[in-house]
Amino acid sequence: MKRNILITGGAGFIGSHVVRLFVTKYPEYRIINLDKLTYAGNLANLKDIEHAPNYTFVKADICDFETILSLMRQYEVDGIIHLAAESHVDRSIRDPFTFARTNVMGTLSLLEAARRCWESRPERFEGKLFYHISTDEVYGALELTRPEGIKPPFSTTASSAEHHLAYGEEFFLETTKYNPHSPYSASKASSDHFVRAYHDTYGMPTLVTNCSNNYGPYQFPEKLIPLFINNIRHRRPLPVYGKGENVRDWLYVEDHARAIDLIFHRGKVAETYNIGGFNEWKNIDLIKVVIRTVDRLLGRHEGEDMKLITFVTDRAGHDLRYAIDSSKLQRELGWEPSLQFEEGIEKTVRWYLDNQAWMDNITSGDYEKYYDEMYKNR
Ligand SMILES: NC(=O)c1ccc[n+]([C@@H]2O[C@H](COP(=O)([O-])OP(=O)(O)OC[C@H]3O[C@@H](n4cnc5c(N)ncnc54)[C@H](O)[C@@H]3O)[C@@H](O)[C@H]2O)c1
């Protein structure tokens, strides 16, 4: 079936994996990647598919309602996968207005454009879907009651579950009450509410997923894993918040993209699905795995760069533990993470070490010229 799918934020980390998956897996679809190209947007993430006949890139701001509406009409968009956002918690603490503007007002502008565009057609919402990508951070923080970790209480057949430990008895469920603490998570929580409100008020077919921390290739190097890989390579300090006790649930980015594909096609309208890796790690333990892997792959003595770890003042309002129970998605749609964490980290470290030019392009700022070079004559 032919479909015209608008993916927002496709030049970012997760968005680029989603765009690549849809462009290659569904040649019959037209994929329109709409991205403002903020500091986090990098078209070099999509070099391998930029000439695909079913792919179109549009530089635009999701807050620009008139432009979004006319693009949606021009391309007769029938599906939206909305990933565009400001995504870095530390930046949200310094500049909350930008987060409210993009994450809240930008999402509202997309929702309203979709409603006006779709309502004006005879078939209205039939065959349409507005799929909003969100985070587990909206649920707030869980207690860390098992410092040594325990087996999780829910059963899973996921291969990674063999190694899974939980650091407490509680998990985020789809029914967990929202309790965001950072300006980032507050802005995402607000956007989630708007998306559900558009279903409840106008009957618009919407869907929300809340996912845990992603890792993998093409992540902007302000985020922990790529930042630390690069710092270890150059033997620079590794700043660890507090004592590194905070726990996060990590998911390989391609497993998230596969979940998005499955949910976009088979998820139930108006539902929420939690997506997670069944894979909790204390920051300090995760960092040690990254150090050992980088050292080994660079031919250094494994663990010699542990000395780079530097404890710094904790992040304000730092949530202690996030842990997702994604068994609903597993039960209802049959999704599970495909990679064990050790494999995923090995693949990720190898990718960053093999793609030093990608990293250098960002640290030098050259990546921001890519749009002009690629699209100025079109
Ligand atoms: N990274 C994670 O671990 C994680 C986990 C769960 C959910 N999420 C959510 O997934 C989505 C993508 O996250 P990411 O890590 O890939 O983010 P990212 O920061 O790497 O990418 C965000 C993209 O959005 C674009 N963008 C920002 N503001 C825009 C605007 N006003 N108009 C158009 N485009 C704009 C940027 O240019 C960039 O390409 C976000 O909604 C985030 O909240 C991320």
Side-chain angles (χ1 to χ4, degrees):
M1 189 177 73
K2 172 133 182 51
R3 298 202 65 170
N4 299 315
I5 300 171
L6 179 72
I7 300 182
T8 70
F13 167 47
I14 303 171
S16 63
H17 288 274
V18 176
V19 166
R20 177 175 297 99
L21 179 66
F22 274 69
V23 165
T24 51
K25 186 169 172 188
Y26 302 106
E28 69 279 22
Y29 293 178
R30 166 153 293 283
I31 304 301
I32 303 112
N33 171 13
L34 184 150
D35 198 297
K36 183 184 176 183
L37 299 182
T38 66
Y39 78 93
N42 183 358
L43 285 176
N45 294 357
L46 292 164
K47 248 184 171 161
D48 52 329
I49 56 109
E50 68 192 1
H51 298 296
N54 62 340
Y55 172 70
T56 304
F57 175 72
V58 180
K59 184 175 174 180
D61 185 339
I62 53 167
C63 300
D64 181 352
F65 172 74
E66 293 302 334
T67 303
I68 300 295
L69 182 59
S70 91
L71 282 167
M72 285 194 58
R73 288 190 169 134
Q74 177 191 345
Y75 288 107
E76 299 182 351
V77 166
D78 51 29
I80 299 174
I81 305 177
H82 174 36
L83 296 113
E86 289 292 335
S87 69
H88 192 42
V89 176
D90 289 343
R91 285 180 188 257
S92 81
I93 294 168
R94 291 196 299 270
D95 177 18
F97 280 119
T98 303
F99 281 68
R101 180 184 178 275
T102 292
N103 298 359
V104 185
M105 291 307 290
T107 300
L108 179 56
S109 136
L110 263 183
L111 282 163
E112 186 56 19
R115 179 173 82 86
R116 295 220 198 147
C117 179
W118 291 342
E119 274 194 340
S120 65
R121 302 212 188 132
E123 74 279 13
R124 289 185 84 240
F125 295 136
E126 207 186 302
K128 312 289 194 300
L129 182 64
F130 188 108
Y131 177 1
H132 177 61
I133 307 298
S134 193
T135 166
D136 61 355
E137 303 193 25
V138 296
Y139 296 125
L142 295 169
E143 294 294 315
L144 195 154
T145 51
R146 299 293 193 128
E148 299 317 316
I150 50 162
K151 283 269 169 215
F154 44 83
S155 71
T156 164
T157 55
S159 52
S160 57
E162 283 165 40
H163 298 267
H164 174 77
L165 288 181
Y167 288 91
E169 288 77 7
E170 266 193 286
F171 299 87
F172 296 137
L173 288 164
E174 288 79 359
T175 48
T176 302
K177 203 166 141 265
Y178 275 29
N179 186 20
H181 295 137
S182 72
Y184 165 66
S185 53
S187 68
K188 291 296 290 186
S190 171
S191 65
D192 295 6
H193 290 317
F194 268 110
V195 173
R196 295 189 180 107
Y198 263 66
H199 172 267
D200 297 348
T201 307
Y202 306 109
M204 198 153 102
T206 65
L207 217 165
V208 179
T209 55
N210 299 84
C211 187
S212 63
N213 275 31
N214 285 213
Y215 70 99
Y218 299 112
Q219 188 167 30
F220 197 80
E222 62 186 352
K223 304 275 168 64
L224 192 145
I225 291 182
L227 175 74
F228 278 29
I229 295 172
N230 201 37
N231 282 11
I232 299 163
R233 180 181 194 129
H234 296 290
R235 294 221 155 96
R236 294 185 195 128
L238 307 174
V240 179
Y241 282 131
K243 292 190 180 128
E245 287 292 299
N246 302 65
V247 171
R248 298 292 180 261
D249 172 7
W250 292 89
L251 178 67
Y252 192 67
V253 63
E254 287 179 4
D255 278 331
H256 188 190
R258 275 195 310 108
I260 291 172
D261 174 19
L262 185 67
I263 293 163
F264 180 80
H265 289 98
R266 297 200 11 232
K268 265 203 228 141
V269 165
E271 286 287 322
T272 297
Y273 298 93
N274 278 353
I275 311 173
F278 302 109
N279 181 42
E280 289 177 51
W281 284 80
K282 279 189 193 175
N283 282 349
I284 190 68
D285 295 334
L286 172 95
I287 288 160
K288 287 177 181 168
V289 172
V290 173
I291 293 173
R292 276 195 286 273
T293 312
V294 177
D295 281 346
R296 179 166 45 78
L297 293 180
L298 285 178
R300 296 178 185 169
H301 180 66
E302 211 174 294
E304 70 171 276
D305 286 316
M306 296 289 177
K307 57 183 180 293
L308 298 175
I309 292 175
T310 311
F311 294 102
V312 298
T313 311
D314 208 354
R315 172 191 273 167
H318 204 175
D319 288 337
L320 194 51
R321 172 175 171 249
Y322 299 142
I324 278 267
D325 179 347
S326 56
S327 44
K328 171 178 170 182
L329 177 58
Q330 196 169 0
R331 205 174 48 245
E332 294 187 7
L333 298 182
W335 174 89
E336 61 178 39
S338 69
L339 279 189
Q340 289 195 1
F341 188 61
E342 290 71 9
E343 263 179 275
I345 276 291
E346 173 99 12
K347 261 181 103 158
T348 302
V349 170
R350 215 178 265 286
W351 188 87
Y352 285 99
L353 295 181
D354 289 348
N355 289 276
Q356 190 58 38
W358 178 89
M359 182 68 84
D360 292 344
N361 222 21
I362 292 180
T363 47
S364 69
D366 281 352
Y367 76 106
E368 290 179 301
K369 299 178 197 145
Y370 193 77
Y371 173 76
D372 288 336
E373 285 161 17
M374 182 66 200
Y375 290 91
K376 69 183 167 199
N377 295 324
R378 290 191 180 183

